[in-house]
Each structure stands twice: as C-alpha cells, then as structure tokens.
Amino acid sequence: MPSSTPTGFRVAVIGGGFAGIAAARELHRRGYAVTVFESGDSPGGTWRVNRFPGVEVDTPAVMYSYSFAPGEWSREFPGGAELHAYLGQVAREAGLLPLFRYGHRVTRLHWDESAAEWSVTVRDVATGDEETERFRAVVSAVGLLNVPRHPQWPGRSTYTGEIFHTAEWPSGLDLTGRRVAVVGTGSTAAQVVAELAGVASQLTVFQRQPGWVDPKVGRVYDDADRARLRHPVHRRIARWRLFLALERRWLGGRIIRPGSDVDTSLVDACRSYLDEVFAEHPELKAQLTPTSAYLGKRAVHSSTFYPALLREDVTLVPRAVVGMHEKGLIDASGEEHVAEVVVTATGFRAAEFLGGIEVVGRGGTVLADKWGDDPMAFLGITVDEMPNLFLLYGPNTNWYAPVFGMEKQALFVGRTLDELRRRGARSVEVKASYVVALNRWLKRRLDASSFAQTPNYFRSPSGRVVTQWPDGASVYWLLTRLLWKRSARFR
C-alpha cells in the first residue's frame, strides 16, 4: 500500500476536475506534498464551468465515475450539477480539499536544471497579482475542453444583442419569449436546443455540417436501482458489462474504420432514427443526413434534439454563419437572420493542449515551439525535453472511457515518481525514441480513420488527429502498465 505520510517532495497539479482529482488523490496517498491550482472556486472542472440548460454527460455514470468512488446517481446520464457535486464529494472524502488553491491560474512553467525543479508562476484570478513557487514535479490536468472557441465573425462589433459561448452561460438568464439563435449542432448545441425549444419565441439553429445522431433515453434510477449499484459486486458487474460492450467496438479500431461492420451498423441505426423522426419531412431529413462515417465528427446522443427541430417555432438553417449585422447573423448564402440573443455552441480549442500556459523545459526548449501545430506525447502523458512534467488527458488520449484513462495515467505518474525517489534521481524524462515510435503508429492508424474525414475538433491546424486514441481502452491500459519504466530515463 502506498505511503500517505507527506515527504516534502512537492508536486503541483494544475486543474481540479476529473483528471486533477485523480492525480491529486493518487499522489497524496503515496505521500507527496500536493498543491492543486484551480482557477475556479471549487473542484469540478468542466462540470463546474458548464451550466447551460440541459447540460449532462453522454456516458453512463456507472462508467463516467472513478472506480474507487461509485457515487449516488439520480439517473443513468447525470446532469452537470450532479457531476459537479460528485467531484466535490470525492475530493472531500479523499482529504484533498485542503490541497486546493482556488482562484489561481498557472501561467508559466520554467525548468531550473541546476535545482531540478519547476518554477511555477501563478496568477490570482481576482487581483491579477502573480507569484512564483517551486515544485519537484508538475502534473497538468487542465482538460481537453477548457478553452472556448469564440468565432470572430465580421460585423460582430456592430451587433446590439447579447452573445455568449455555452461555457460562459450568464447566471440567471431568462430567454422566455425572446428570439434566440444557436450556432452549432454538436452535442452541446443539441442539449441547449432541446431545452430552449418552446421557451424562446423563435429559435434559429445554424448547422455548418450535420453529424450522426442516435437516440439516448437513459433510465431514471429508483431506490432499488441505487441500492443495486451501491453494492460493490453489482456495480462492478454493470461497469464491466458496459466496458466490454464498448471495448468490442473499439478493439482493433473497428469503430473508426469507415465502412467496417461496426461503422456500418451504427450508421444504419442513425439512418433508421432519421427515417423514424422525419418520415413526413424529407427536406429536413436530407439537411440533417451526414455523408461521413459514424465518427467523422463526434456523434450526438440525444432523443430530444430531432423532435425539437420539428417545432414550428424552431428553424434549422443548414448553412454556416459567416458574419453578423446589427440585429443578428448572416449565413453563407448571404441571408440575414434576426436574433436578440446569440448562443455560440462552437466547441473548444481542444487541439491546443496546455493553452495559455508557457512551458520552458530542458535547455530552454519552449513546448509551444517544439509542438507547433501538432502536440505529441508518449501515451499522452510525457514529453521529451520536459523533465518531471506529466499530462493527464493529453494528446491522443480521448476515447469512450476518459475517466478510466485518467486513473491509469495517474497511476503511471505515481509509479514513475516513486521510482525516481527510489533511485535517488533528480529528474525523469521520456526517451525521445518512444515518443517518435508511438506517434508514428498513431499517425498511421489515425490518418486512415473516420476522424480524418471531416473538419472537427479532433484535428490540429495541420490536419493531424491529435485528440483521439485509435484502439481499445485495454490496449492503452496495457501500454501504460508495460512501458512506464522502460520509456523513462532517470538522471
């Protein structure tokens, strides 16, 4: 059992969401002196920030939760507030809350070779004051979807209404009876549209390109359901049953091969759902039918989005927004649309890992320059020339079981730092050959995948897929278990 006695070996964890809590818990129980820098006022990460109407997870809670903290869920797909509360409870029960420094954003990391330490610059969100502290190791757990993508449309400065991103939803906003435009038709937009339909007097939805949608019903749990999931054996069975069902789709990359049996069956199911909902609306059905493979862009799981588009007070515009005017938006055909409120569900800058943090590693290597448009790491966790720096949910680690992945990544970090101390070494760094070999394999697999078919958040400006993992979660787990020590160079 890892020691929980503090050692004085200081580790900074950046971010207090799912990844940050996983890392802080693993390192705290191994005895490291952990400080969690969180820019917000509580643990929760994306589930603290995102408070838009209808926000909920797309993965069943039995899997979208830590293996060591079952949670008490009201339904199969919990809402954002419930997930936020869950993360706060986990952090409290693990004794992590005293480790948090709220309202502090890390802006710079600089490796001091002589001291074998990271100089960490932190800004007070409220005052703007900066201070610098020193840590033996740093774990970045800033997440994948943390920097909103704000469209810079011509004419935006002339618009007289309200405009905001879904991740910046104003507190107490009432849209009853107002003319609202939602830009985007991805997962977030689908949830927002379903909630605002019937609330806004007129809801206009702008679609740049359609994506596949499959129905998501989800159970509301009763006392018997919760009691069953509270039982360790029953919960473990439910978790593994779901894991194995999804793993069969992903193992060997079957689900991401255009035209594979898995891809075809999922596309056929989505087509059947389109046929069912839009049987009497062939034009709308045609506008909503993609031409890509199932995962050409992130699939939307919703049973309420399509029905919302059938309402008389909801209009789908199957064209991108290209500009704004005083009273609203201009689409790609040049048509002007009036909207008192514009909601941009335009996603995040997911391909820009560690965005907003300047990182200077060994020999003065600037991480942003090293990466350019194509972030690369070994199993998404370590980067050569960046000693004692670890990433959770880093490049190419996004798949159907992100929390499972974060736990394995946290274990990788804990084992590596324990080995560093056991050897009496000052630093640990991944061997460059391992980074090159893994990313050569990733590129080969991903260039032929559905992810590379269409514009999406998976890809960097160069077109390389930098967010997604191309195989089963079991393959990733096995690689982290086998290679954590072999890939490392201790000095």
Side-chain angles (χ1 to χ4, degrees):
M1 185 75 174
S3 168
S4 59
T5 304
T7 64
F9 189 113
R10 300 191 71 201
V11 182
V13 174
I14 308 172
F18 262 107
I21 290 172
R25 174 187 177 274
E26 185 64 36
L27 295 173
H28 180 59
R29 65 195 288 268
R30 289 174 181 268
Y32 294 91
V34 178
T35 300
V36 183
F37 293 105
E38 167 56 52
S39 61
D41 58 4
S42 66
T46 190
W47 300 109
R48 175 188 60 79
V49 172
N50 285 281
R51 301 176 181 178
F52 58 83
V55 58
E56 67 177 24
V57 69
D58 284 340
T59 303
V62 70
M63 178 170 286
Y64 196 79
S65 54
Y66 298 114
S67 61
F68 54 83
E72 287 275 341
W73 306 107
S74 66
R75 51 196 170 111
E76 187 177 0
F77 300 100
E82 195 169 352
L83 287 160
H84 182 201
Y86 165 76
L87 288 169
Q89 179 182 344
V90 172
R92 182 172 59 256
E93 292 178 352
L96 303 181
L97 293 182
L99 312 181
F100 274 73
R101 288 187 58 188
Y102 300 114
H104 286 80
R105 176 175 285 114
V106 173
T107 60
R108 190 170 192 266
L109 305 174
H110 189 279
W111 176 250
D112 183 335
E113 189 70 43
S114 61
E117 292 180 334
W118 283 99
S119 176
V120 179
T121 302
V122 184
R123 177 179 299 142
D124 186 304
V125 172
T127 66
D129 295 338
E130 290 193 341
E131 59 181 308
T132 299
E133 296 188 43
R134 302 181 77 83
F135 294 86
R136 289 289 307 279
V138 174
V139 180
S140 170
V142 296
L144 187 68
L145 307 178
N146 66 314
V147 181
R149 186 177 295 281
H150 293 287
Q152 299 301 316
W153 294 309
R156 179 166 176 160
S157 62
T158 67
Y159 177 59
T160 57
E162 296 180 67
I163 180 170
F164 50 85
H165 192 278
T166 51
E168 298 161 345
W169 198 275
S171 177
L173 178 68
D174 184 5
L175 295 177
T176 304
R178 304 181 73 180
R179 296 171 67 94
V180 179
V182 175
V183 182
T185 52
S187 296
T188 296
Q191 294 175 350
V192 171
V193 167
E195 290 292 316
L196 297 188
V199 174
S201 62
Q202 178 62 42
L203 183 61
T204 306
V205 182
F206 292 84
Q207 172 187 267
R208 183 181 60 178
Q209 66 181 73
W212 293 111
V213 177
D214 43 29
K216 179 179 77 170
V217 180
R219 297 183 57 183
V220 175
Y221 290 144
D222 58 21
D223 290 343
D225 292 323
R226 282 189 287 274
R228 186 170 58 255
L229 290 175
R230 199 179 298 126
H231 191 285
V233 174
H234 289 166
R235 178 177 181 270
R236 192 171 293 117
I237 291 172
R239 186 177 173 96
W240 274 102
R241 183 177 293 157
L242 177 59
F243 179 89
L244 291 173
L246 293 171
E247 187 71 355
R248 279 196 293 269
R249 294 178 176 181
W250 280 87
L251 199 58
R254 291 168 62 203
I255 194 173
I256 64 171
R257 286 202 303 270
S260 70
D261 57 337
V262 177
D263 175 70
T264 300
S265 66
L266 290 169
V267 167
D268 287 347
C270 290
R271 287 189 188 278
S272 296
Y273 184 46
L274 275 163
D275 291 339
E276 175 189 334
V277 177
F278 299 105
E280 299 178 10
H281 302 271
E283 183 179 353
L284 194 52
K285 173 186 165 184
Q287 293 170 344
L288 290 164
T289 302
T291 57
S292 67
Y294 179 69
L295 289 179
K297 58 185 292 188
R298 185 177 185 232
V300 173
H301 309 293
S302 173
S303 296
T304 54
F305 177 52
Y306 278 173
L309 298 178
L310 292 173
R311 295 178 56 97
E312 291 186 0
D313 53 5
V314 178
T315 301
L316 176 71
V317 178
R319 296 178 293 279
V321 173
V322 296
M324 300 191 76
H325 60 96
E326 184 181 358
K327 296 183 180 295
L329 298 163
I330 305 169
D331 70 31
S333 73
E335 183 179 353
E336 296 186 353
H337 304 265
V338 175
E340 299 169 70
V341 180
V342 174
V343 179
T344 59
T346 47
F348 298 83
R349 290 157 55 186
E352 300 177 24
F353 294 87
L354 285 168
I357 303 177
E358 181 187 9
V359 183
V360 183
R362 179 169 56 81
T365 300
V366 177
L367 183 57
D369 295 340
K370 178 181 178 66
W371 276 349
D373 286 339
D374 296 328
M376 287 187 289
F378 179 67
L379 296 171
I381 306 172
T382 49
V383 183
D384 56 300
E385 299 183 288
M386 300 291 150
N388 298 14
L389 175 66
F390 304 89
L391 316 179
L392 264 65
Y393 212 14
N396 295 111
T397 59
N398 189 36
W399 72 91
Y400 71 86
V403 181
F404 171 87
M406 293 169 195
E407 288 191 50
K408 302 312 170 191
Q409 291 154 15
L411 188 60
F412 182 109
V413 176
R415 286 172 170 163
T416 302
L417 289 181
D418 281 357
E419 182 67 13
L420 175 79
R421 290 193 316 180
R422 189 189 71 79
R423 294 180 180 222
R426 303 173 78 240
S427 68
V428 59
E429 182 182 328
V430 65
K431 299 170 185 173
S433 59
Y434 277 76
V435 180
V436 171
L438 178 75
N439 281 276
R440 186 181 297 125
W441 174 78
L442 284 171
K443 188 175 189 305
R444 185 171 64 251
R445 293 287 297 274
L446 292 168
D447 282 354
S449 73
S450 305
F451 301 138
Q453 278 194 339
T454 61
N456 50 50
Y457 74 76
F458 311 143
R459 302 167 70 184
S460 70
S462 74
R464 182 181 177 128
V465 178
V466 296
T467 63
Q468 306 303 104
W469 178 253
D471 212 308
S474 59
V475 174
Y476 184 85
W477 166 78
L478 189 62
L479 290 173
T480 61
R481 187 172 180 84
L482 293 177
L483 300 179
W484 69 270
K485 188 187 294 187
R486 296 181 191 180
S487 64
R489 177 177 288 111
F490 296 89
R491 292 187 172 97

